[in-house]
């Protein structure tokens, strides 16, 4: 039902995810340890033939692990930016999205039209183009730079704020669509009932429709969060040193482009898979019996 | 001559639940047999074993003397038609399209000829006017009649009905039973799970009361309904009346 | 540099360079169509395997799907660009046929972008198809089986036609995503629409026309999305199975 508005479905679970993760961690640890030991022995030069081939391959693995370890600090710093970029944007986006969605359903013709145009225009154009408008096109950066405190101490510098603004705007349009279709699946009789006990229309929406509808919106919202983690990588093109740009910088310093992008991919996968597991927990935790859990609604 | 259909000590379990516990019954050509019994007693399973939608665990079922387990399953199903409680019509095909699919794909009949046969069978169930309608445009009774026409077109030797009227509104049941009654008169062999007592009384040759996976009682309708031998049968019939 | 958006002179700059944007649009369309096609060809069987498959094949399909859906598209594009030994097809000549000046694009960037966008799309399309296949009730399959169709025939004649129809909204959504994400081929310098726009406004003469250029580029994407969605709406209505309600 949310198909048409959505940004694509849930990414899903790795088969037998939990066991797989345990096994993967185990294999990584022991693989690394064994390879490391072998690597030390390979340095003793007189190994020949097939054994040498295998050892060389292992040594390659060790080398990759070492490279990964060396790039960890830079990538971790990038990942931190990725995380707060995402979290800030989705929360700010939510603040805009709720009134947008309410306006689309309950607003008068003018409000509805404004909300519709906003969501359609944002969703009909590429995110990268939106970031370019904000960063290269408008004097956004200049204004932000003039705000006292920006770029000092823990406060991120201007380009990051431009990215936050871009992602917030973009995400608000998608979130509004998820929330709209969730609100519409709340039985209209609920609002009538709220009015009949004397609540105003706005109060009815606030205390009766939203608490139910927002629960329905959680699966869409999970998708959006995952989506934003992945697409926050586009901030790299407006100079924000998040995960992808951090990887790209290492790549151009070391010329080991492929290796570093593989590591970056693993980083993103870990973030995304962790998020979807966490969100499923969250969904279960806030579920109310009878107020349809999302997984049943599929 | 071998009986058309013969169950021989058929067993079937799902997990540790014994659903059929030694069924041995038989029927001849042109027989109409009605099976009754409480929910969960194994009636659907019994039917589904015949065309191997369910592969039974032990015992044997023979169609015209030949063990169904030894037959090619698609060939078996071509000889045994089935009508479902929930109709199971193909939603993307018209009434006619529902009937022709088996004709063109299984019996390899050319399209034009298949259409003719389909229309003939739709006429048989009184649906000539609805041939071009999609399932969603038909009433429940009409849907079930399409289901019957679909099975009939394959010229089966035996027709299985699994509660063909229990998903229907009361006022639509009659038209379906009427079609079934007609088929019985034409000499179609039918094995019918149904709790329509009037139908069983007037059409069935034999009524079987299935209870907890075994045949609890079996006999001509007048005997089984008027003078049941077992208390369990009487009790069940009493529940049906209320 | 003073930025005053939307000046007449800047629009004129866009006007004189319209053919550059059209060349970009050409590449964008090529990339979108290619990726969706690849996505369909790989995604449809993928979805079927997720429903009907067994054992290791199914696990592999599901696992690869998760990897493709969990990785940012820009990372996929650079991985395919740097990680796959594409044959060196050099520069690909395009245009000329249309009333467009002929031009060349980087063949390897085109291959890598198509592969990345296409396979990622396959991973999403497989979920659309999987859902559509699952939404068709078992009973119809059983009915087909009981007139004697084999499992494969039953799936082909009963499940596939209905699943394809039910996939249209999901496919529509997927089209929009792929179209917009072709802009990310910017990462490997493929001369698609947004990249061409970028090249325009980073050259000295274009520096005051940034907003005008990006607005034009965005408008083109928007119109493409809009038109294609309307077309697919029509397709959906055209092939809709009557529901009995007048709609
Ligand atoms: N495919 C299956 N897997 C597991 N259990 C099954 C399956 N099919 C049937 N059963 C079980 O077997 C038992 C008998 O089922 P069956 O459908 O044959 O009963 P029935 O007499 O037709 O009942 P009803 O009147 O409700 O249709 C039930 O307890 C049911 O849960
Ligand atoms: Mg039953």
């Amino acid at each position: 039902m949310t198909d048409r508005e959505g940004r694509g479905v849930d990414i899903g679970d790795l088969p037998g995810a939990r066991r797989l993760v345990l096994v993967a961690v185990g294999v990584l640890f022991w693989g690394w340890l064994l390879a490391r030991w072998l690597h030390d022995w390979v340095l003793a030069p007189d190994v020949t033939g097939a054994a040498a081939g295998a050892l060389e391959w292992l040594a390659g693995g060790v080398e990759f692990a070492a490279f990964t370890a060396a790039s960890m600090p830079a990538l971790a710093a990038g990942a931190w930016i990725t995380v707060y970029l995402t979290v800030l944007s989705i929360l700010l986006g939510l603040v805009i999205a709720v009134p947008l969605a309410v306006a689309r359903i309950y607003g008068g013709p003018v409000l509805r039209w404004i909300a519709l145009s906003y969501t359609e225009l944002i969703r009909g154009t590429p995110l990268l183009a939106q970031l370019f408008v904000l960063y290269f096109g408008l004097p956004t950066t200049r204004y932000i730079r003039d705000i006292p405190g920006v770029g000092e101490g823990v406060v991120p510098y201007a380009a990051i704020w431009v990215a936050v603004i871009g992602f917030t705007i973009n995400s608000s349009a998608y979130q509004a669509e998820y929330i709209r279709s969730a609100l519409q699946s709340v039985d209209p009789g609920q609002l009538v009932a709220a009015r009949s006990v004397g609540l105003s229309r706005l109060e009815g929406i606030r205390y009766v429709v939203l608490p139910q509808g927002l629960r329905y919106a959680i699966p869409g919202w999970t998708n959006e969060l995952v989506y934003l983690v992945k697409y926050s990588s586009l901030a790299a093109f407006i100079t924000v040193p998040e995960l992808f740009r951090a990887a790209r910088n290492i790549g151009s310093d070391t010329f080991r482009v492929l290796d570093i992008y593989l590591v970056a991919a693993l980083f993103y996968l870990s973030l995304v898979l962790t998020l979807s597991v966490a969100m499923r927990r969250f969904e279960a935790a806030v579920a109310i019996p009878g107020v349809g859990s999302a997984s049943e609604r599929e | 001559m071998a009986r058309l259909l013969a169950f021989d000590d058929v067993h079937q379990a799902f997990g540790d639940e014994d659903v059929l516990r030694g069924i041995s019954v038989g029927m001849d050509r042109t027989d109409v047999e009605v099976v009754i019994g409480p929910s969960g007693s194994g009636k659907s399973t019994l039917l589904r074993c015949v065309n191997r939608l369910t592969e039974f665990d032990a015992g044997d079922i023979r169609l015209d003397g030949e063990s169904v387990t030894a037959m090619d399953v698609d060939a078996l199903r071509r000889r045994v038609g089935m009508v479902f409680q929930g109709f199971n019509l193909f939603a993307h095909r018209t009434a006619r399209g529902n009937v022709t699919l088996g004709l063109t794909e299984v019996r390899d009949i050319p399209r034009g000829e298949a259409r003719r046969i389909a229309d003939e069978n739709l006429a048989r169930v009184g649906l000539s006017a609805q041939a071009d309608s999609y399932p969603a445009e038909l009433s429940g009774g009409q849907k079930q009649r399409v289901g019957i026409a679909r099975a009939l077109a394959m010229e089966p030797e035996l027709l299985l009905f699994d509660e063909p009227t229990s998903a229907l509104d009361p006022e639509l049941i009659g038209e379906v039973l009427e079609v079934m009654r007609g088929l019985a008169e034409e000499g179609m062999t039918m094995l019918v799970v149904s709790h329509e007592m009037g139908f069983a009384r007037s059409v069935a040759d034999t009524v079987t009361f299935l209870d907890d996976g075994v045949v609890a009682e079996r006999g001509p309708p007048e005997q089984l309904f008027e003078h049941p031998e077992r208390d369990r049968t009487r009790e069940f019939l009493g529940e049906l009346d209320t | 540099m003073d930025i005053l958006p939307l000046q007449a002179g800047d629009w004129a700059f866009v006007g004189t360079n319209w053919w550059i944007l059209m060349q970009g649009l050409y590449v964008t369309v090529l990339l979108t169509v290619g990726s969706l096609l690849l996505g369909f060809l790989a995604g449809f069987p993928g979805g079927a395997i997720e429903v009907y498959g067994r054992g290791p094949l199914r696990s592999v399909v599901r696992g690869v799907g998760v990897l493709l859906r969990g990785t940012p598209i820009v990372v996929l594009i650079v991985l395919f660009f740097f990680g796959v030994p594409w044959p060196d097809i050099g520069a690909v000549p395009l245009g000329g046929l249309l009333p467009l000046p002929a031009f060349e694009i980087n063949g390897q960037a085109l291959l890598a972008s198509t592969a990345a966008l296409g396979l990622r799309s396959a991973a999403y399309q497989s979920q659309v198809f999987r859902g559509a296949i699952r939404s068709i009730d078992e009973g119809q399959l059983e009915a087909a089986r009981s007139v004697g169709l084999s499992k494969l025939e039953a799936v082909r004649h009963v499940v596939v036609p209905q699943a394809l129809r039910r996939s249209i909204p999901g496919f529509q959504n997927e089209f929009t995503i792929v179209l917009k994400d072709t802009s990310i081929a910017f990462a490997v310098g493929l001369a698609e629409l947004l990249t061409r726009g970028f090249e325009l406004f980073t050259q000295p003469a274009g520096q005051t026309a940034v907003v005008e250029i990006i607005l034009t580029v965005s408008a083109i994407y928007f119109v493409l999305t809009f038109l294609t969605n309307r077309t697919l709406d029509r397709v959906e209505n055209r092939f809709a199975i009557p529901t009995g309600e007048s709609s």
Side-chain angles (χ1 to χ4, degrees):
Chain A
M1 174 190 132
T2 44
D3 260 356
R4 210 184 284 268
E5 301 89 28
R7 279 175 134 152
V9 279
D10 200 5
I11 51 152
D13 271 328
L14 281 170
R18 212 168 298 171
R19 222 184 29 197
L20 209 85
V21 169
L22 274 182
V23 171
V25 170
V27 166
L28 268 181
F29 175 71
W30 287 108
W32 184 78
L33 205 58
L34 289 173
R36 183 75 227 171
W37 294 337
L38 280 170
H39 178 59
D40 293 345
W41 299 330
V42 167
L43 295 181
D46 45 285
V47 191
T48 49
L55 285 177
E56 227 164 73
W57 188 80
L58 266 174
V62 173
E63 233 283 288
F64 180 72
F67 173 66
T68 306
S71 27
M72 271 312 167
L75 290 181
W80 169 238
I81 299 181
T82 293
V83 168
Y84 75 64
L85 210 57
T86 307
V87 171
L88 268 180
S89 310
I90 197 151
L91 291 178
L92 293 174
L94 180 64
V95 172
I96 304 177
V98 173
L100 262 180
V102 171
R104 278 225 32 208
I105 305 178
Y106 302 105
V110 179
L111 261 182
R112 269 216 299 263
W113 187 84
I114 293 174
L116 177 74
S117 313
Y118 177 85
T119 49
E120 288 306 300
L121 281 176
I122 299 297
R123 297 185 327 123
T125 52
L127 175 54
L128 194 53
Q130 291 161 12
L131 291 178
F132 281 1
V133 173
L134 287 173
Y135 188 77
F136 298 109
L138 302 175
T140 329
T141 326
R142 231 177 346 157
Y143 291 144
I144 293 175
R145 215 176 277 137
D146 291 345
I147 300 172
V150 166
E152 294 168 21
V154 290
V155 182
Y157 64 91
I160 296 187
W161 286 109
V162 175
V164 169
I165 293 172
F167 291 143
T168 298
I169 292 175
N170 184 271
S171 179
S172 68
Y174 285 91
Q175 289 189 63
E177 280 303 286
Y178 286 126
I179 295 171
R180 181 181 63 85
S181 71
L183 291 186
Q184 279 172 338
S185 64
V186 176
D187 175 10
Q190 296 278 321
L191 191 55
V192 178
R195 300 280 277 142
S196 75
V197 296
L199 270 66
S200 73
R201 195 173 152 78
L202 214 56
E203 285 169 334
I205 294 172
R206 160 77 183 77
Y207 292 108
V208 176
V209 179
L210 281 180
Q212 297 179 43
L214 290 183
R215 278 193 179 77
Y216 285 129
I218 290 174
W221 206 70
T222 311
N223 278 349
E224 182 59 22
L225 192 57
V226 166
Y227 181 94
L228 217 49
V229 169
K230 291 189 286 175
Y231 282 73
S232 64
S233 52
L234 297 188
F237 299 110
I238 56 168
T239 74
V240 175
E242 46 63 72
L243 184 49
F244 178 69
R245 192 168 178 102
R248 206 173 71 162
N249 289 344
I250 296 174
S252 48
D253 287 349
T254 61
F255 300 109
R256 302 187 54 174
V257 184
L258 183 58
D259 289 351
I260 195 64
Y261 284 141
L262 277 174
V263 179
L266 285 178
F267 255 82
Y268 278 110
L269 275 170
S270 318
L271 283 177
V272 161
L273 287 175
T274 311
L275 256 182
S276 30
V277 172
M279 287 308 291
R280 213 159 305 158
R281 292 266 161 85
F282 173 64
E283 195 181 321
V286 300
I288 297 179
V291 181
S293 116
S295 24
E296 285 164 23
R297 295 196 319 139
E298 218 199 337
Chain B
M1 198 176 104
R3 308 197 75 175
L4 180 65
L5 184 70
F7 285 75
D8 182 8
D9 198 27
V10 173
H11 286 261
Q12 168 64 13
F14 292 109
D16 49 10
E17 190 192 356
D18 287 324
V19 176
L20 298 181
R21 302 184 294 144
I23 303 285
S24 301
V25 292
M27 51 192 299
D28 294 310
R29 281 199 173 67
T30 76
D31 277 358
V32 175
E33 172 137 358
V34 168
V35 181
I36 61 173
S39 180
S41 57
K43 305 180 298 295
S44 298
T45 308
L46 182 82
L47 289 196
R48 296 163 62 90
C49 285
V50 176
N51 68 353
R52 285 172 55 197
L53 283 177
T54 298
E55 299 279 2
F56 49 94
D57 299 333
D60 197 12
I61 298 177
R62 281 183 300 276
L63 184 68
D64 206 9
E66 194 183 346
S67 172
V68 295
T69 46
M71 285 186 218
D72 171 56
V73 70
D74 299 328
L76 166 68
R77 289 176 182 160
R78 195 202 145 314
R79 291 173 60 187
V80 179
M82 188 162 200
V83 175
F84 301 86
Q85 177 176 0
F87 323 130
N88 295 350
L89 295 189
F90 309 132
H92 64 305
R93 288 175 155 250
T94 59
R96 183 186 291 117
N98 265 270
V99 181
T100 52
L101 182 63
L103 297 173
T104 54
E105 298 308 316
V106 180
R107 289 178 60 190
D108 288 322
I109 293 173
R111 265 166 213 284
E113 174 69 0
R115 266 178 80 98
R116 200 188 54 69
I117 298 177
D119 287 347
E120 219 171 79
N121 282 286
L122 286 170
R124 235 167 130 188
V125 298
L127 286 178
S128 295
Q130 279 78 20
D132 290 311
S133 300
Y134 283 90
E137 300 169 324
L138 298 172
S139 74
Q142 292 172 330
K143 279 184 205 164
Q144 193 56 294
R145 286 189 278 152
V146 174
I148 295 174
R150 177 172 70 185
L152 279 180
M154 302 302 290
E155 296 176 3
E157 294 161 53
L158 168 70
L159 261 184
L160 309 171
F161 291 81
D162 191 359
E163 308 206 36
T165 58
S166 58
L168 296 177
D169 292 339
E171 73 273 17
L172 300 176
I173 292 177
E175 60 189 66
V176 173
L177 292 181
E178 212 39 58
V179 168
M180 291 169 63
R181 193 185 305 271
L183 291 177
E185 278 161 15
E186 289 172 30
M188 175 63 73
T189 316
M190 310 200 286
L191 178 55
V192 184
V193 174
S194 173
H195 291 125
E196 291 299 327
M197 290 303 147
F199 175 79
R201 239 179 257 272
S202 59
V203 181
D205 300 296
T206 315
V207 176
T208 294
F209 173 45
L210 196 66
D211 188 31
D212 201 14
V214 292
V215 176
E217 187 164 351
R218 185 163 189 260
E222 49 279 12
Q223 180 202 319
L224 196 117
F225 290 141
E226 308 305 335
H227 313 288
E229 282 170 10
R230 300 206 167 199
D231 293 342
R232 183 71 190 93
T233 315
R234 199 169 301 123
E235 191 188 332
F236 177 71
L237 291 172
E239 281 166 22
L240 277 187
D241 274 343
T242 52
Chain C
M1 177 176 84
D2 227 345
I3 305 167
L4 280 174
L6 312 184
Q7 290 195 336
D10 297 333
W11 285 116
F13 177 77
V14 174
T16 51
N17 290 293
W18 68 271
W19 55 272
I20 291 191
L21 294 181
M22 286 305 110
Q23 289 175 337
L25 175 60
Y26 189 129
V27 178
T28 291
V29 170
L30 203 66
L31 189 54
T32 306
V33 172
S35 306
L36 281 172
L37 212 61
L38 175 59
F40 181 81
L41 293 180
F44 191 73
I49 289 172
E50 285 204 27
V51 179
Y52 299 114
R54 297 266 167 277
L57 178 63
R58 176 155 167 241
S59 302
V60 167
V61 168
R62 286 181 59 184
V64 171
V66 170
L67 295 185
L68 287 169
R69 289 190 294 273
T71 311
I73 184 63
V74 63
V75 176
L76 290 176
I77 290 177
V78 293
L79 277 179
F80 274 86
F81 186 66
F82 294 110
V84 179
W86 298 107
D88 190 5
I89 57 173
V92 179
L94 289 174
L97 277 180
L98 300 171
L100 254 196
F103 63 108
E104 292 184 335
I105 56 167
N106 180 340
Q108 286 180 338
L110 181 67
L111 288 179
S113 305
T114 310
L117 284 161
L119 292 179
R120 202 252 331 223
S121 179
Y124 278 105
Q125 290 189 42
S126 73
Q127 301 304 288
V128 171
F129 295 133
R130 188 191 65 166
I133 291 173
R134 287 243 178 94
S135 74
I136 288 152
D137 74 302
E138 277 293 303
Q140 291 189 40
L141 203 62
E142 236 170 41
R145 298 284 276 134
S146 58
V147 289
L149 270 71
S150 69
K151 173 136 190 205
L152 205 65
E153 284 173 329
V155 169
R156 176 163 116 62
H157 291 288
V158 175
V159 177
V160 169
Q162 296 184 63
L164 281 179
R165 285 185 179 86
R166 290 194 191 181
S167 302
I168 294 178
F171 188 79
Q172 204 164 342
N173 191 34
E174 188 53 29
F175 160 79
T176 320
I177 292 177
V178 170
L179 171 64
K180 286 182 293 180
D181 281 356
T182 55
S183 61
I184 300 172
F186 177 78
V188 290
L190 182 67
E192 47 69 55
L193 183 52
L194 187 66
T195 310
R196 281 310 185 92
F198 185 84
E199 286 167 11
L200 269 186
F201 71 69
T202 43
Q203 76 190 48
Q207 278 182 358
T208 59
V210 182
V211 175
E212 289 79 1
I213 291 168
I214 305 181
L215 284 187
T216 308
V217 165
S218 301
I220 296 174
Y221 281 108
F222 185 78
V223 169
L224 272 185
T225 323
F226 187 82
L227 288 183
T228 315
N229 274 331
R230 288 298 87 80
T231 314
L232 283 175
D233 279 344
R234 290 221 168 157
V235 171
E236 195 186 0
N237 288 335
R238 168 80 181 67
F239 289 104
I241 298 163
T243 57
E245 297 143 22
S246 52
S247 57

